[in-house]
Amino acid sequence: MENKRKKIFMIDDDRTNLAIARGALVDKYIVLTITSGKKLFELLEKTIPDLILLDIEMPEMNGYEVIKILKNSENTAHIPVIFLTALIDPESEIKGLNLGAVDYVSKPFSQELLLKRVEMHLLLEAQKQEVKRYTGSLEGMLFEKTQAVFELKNAILKTVTELVESRDNVTGGHIERTQTYLRLLVNNLIKNNIYCEELSKWDVELFVMSSQLHDVGKISVKDSILMKPGKLTNDEFEEMKKHAAFGSEIIERIKGSTSETAFLEHAKILAGSHHEKWDGTGYPLGLKGEDIPLQGRLMALVDVYDALTNERPYKKAFSHEEAVRIILEGSGTHFDPLLCEVFAACESEFAEVKSSGAVCSYELMAVV
Ligand code: C2E
Ligand code: SIN
Ligand code: SIN
Ligand code: FE
């Protein structure tokens, strides 16, 4: 294709100029000489050239009018246009370039100069096309790869979360519900302009999805503790508490071996900080207030809401109203007071999700 002779249209009302230009270019290119803008557009219906040489001063339609039409049509906008003109004032030169011409050759021109300019612009255009093709194929390759990685990751994620959920002996849907509550709370924060600066840095979909892994550290907890029907002893609870730090370590290890980090970074922070408490009495680090990552402060609230409103091997289910009361009592001690305010304002939406069992499922493509 690169070896095919390129096609050049030259438009000028002066036949002498057309003849000179043809003489300069005909050895290397297919040259069509055209005497008016009107004829050019008739010809363009059939053939699209690789370059156009355009006279400015012509009767009927002048060069400026011609180029405007060329640049406004999808089929012809990409064609490089070189103006040929006797007007040599800088103003008309600028005007031509502003209208999208790639260059200006003033008349009278030498055949050699015209040939050089044409060669240069055809080369530039070919390179531009090459870069475009290359970028296009890179994007395609990247997309396929991302897709494959994403599907693999999602499969692993699903397996791991199912494992955690089944071992935890928690009635199904905890993870999906928690995701839904998390999205609900985040949406209400955004609506009320709270913590927006931090949230604007996140891919919220990715964050919500990463919450699936918040309890992944429980795979290190013995069945006898995890599934104990009654109250845990102090020692047992100490064992249980290790799931937060351990979860964050597991995710750190996965993170080290993949290039995609935003998702796992959120997951790691969530796993590591969802049992911290606002007053510093939580675990594993005993962080206080805004030292606790926002991810963890959000997760703490929705995790507890779901734990409270569902039956566990060690506890009965509380009603929505009881759960709201318990959470709001924990404002400033267990939970971030600002988040509690937002929760108080949107608790009815939590009740709706809880009673309808409506959970959103996150499809693969929504996050890519
Ligand atoms: P989980 O069951 O998912 O509970 C998550 C969090 O919800 C708890 O974190 C706690 O902050 C809150 N929560 C759960 N139930 C209640 C409740 O009845 N009242 C109040 N005020 N808050 C509640 P926590 O305490 O750090 O526990 C972490 C995990 O340890 C729990 O996850 C659960 O798997 C386990 N666990 C905690 N206490 C017991 C227990 O007495 N017996 C058994 N078998 N497991 C327990
Ligand atoms: C983290 O920021 O990754 C964990 C913080 C915590 O464990 O509380
Ligand atoms: C609890 O915190 O476990 C329930 C006590 C209450 O209903 O406030
Ligand atoms: Fe947990």
Side-chain angles (χ1 to χ4, degrees), residues 37-55:
K38 187 165 165 282
K39 284 183 185 146
L40 168 69
F41 288 109
E42 282 168 14
L43 206 57
L44 283 172
E45 301 281 317
K46 292 176 224 126
T47 321
I48 299 292
D50 297 289
L51 185 137
I52 291 176
L53 296 167
L54 184 58
D55 185 27

Side-chain angles (χ1 to χ4, degrees), residues 168 174 214-216 218 240 243-244 270-271 274-275 283 303:
D168 209 2
H174 163 62
H214 78 277
D215 263 345
V216 69
K218 281 186 177 172
M240 173 59 85
H243 82 275
L270 275 174
H274 73 282
H275 286 293
Y283 58 90
D303 189 35

Side-chain angles (χ1 to χ4, degrees), residues 38 100 103 143 205 359:
K38 187 165 165 282
D103 206 351
F143 181 76
E205 291 302 326
V359 291

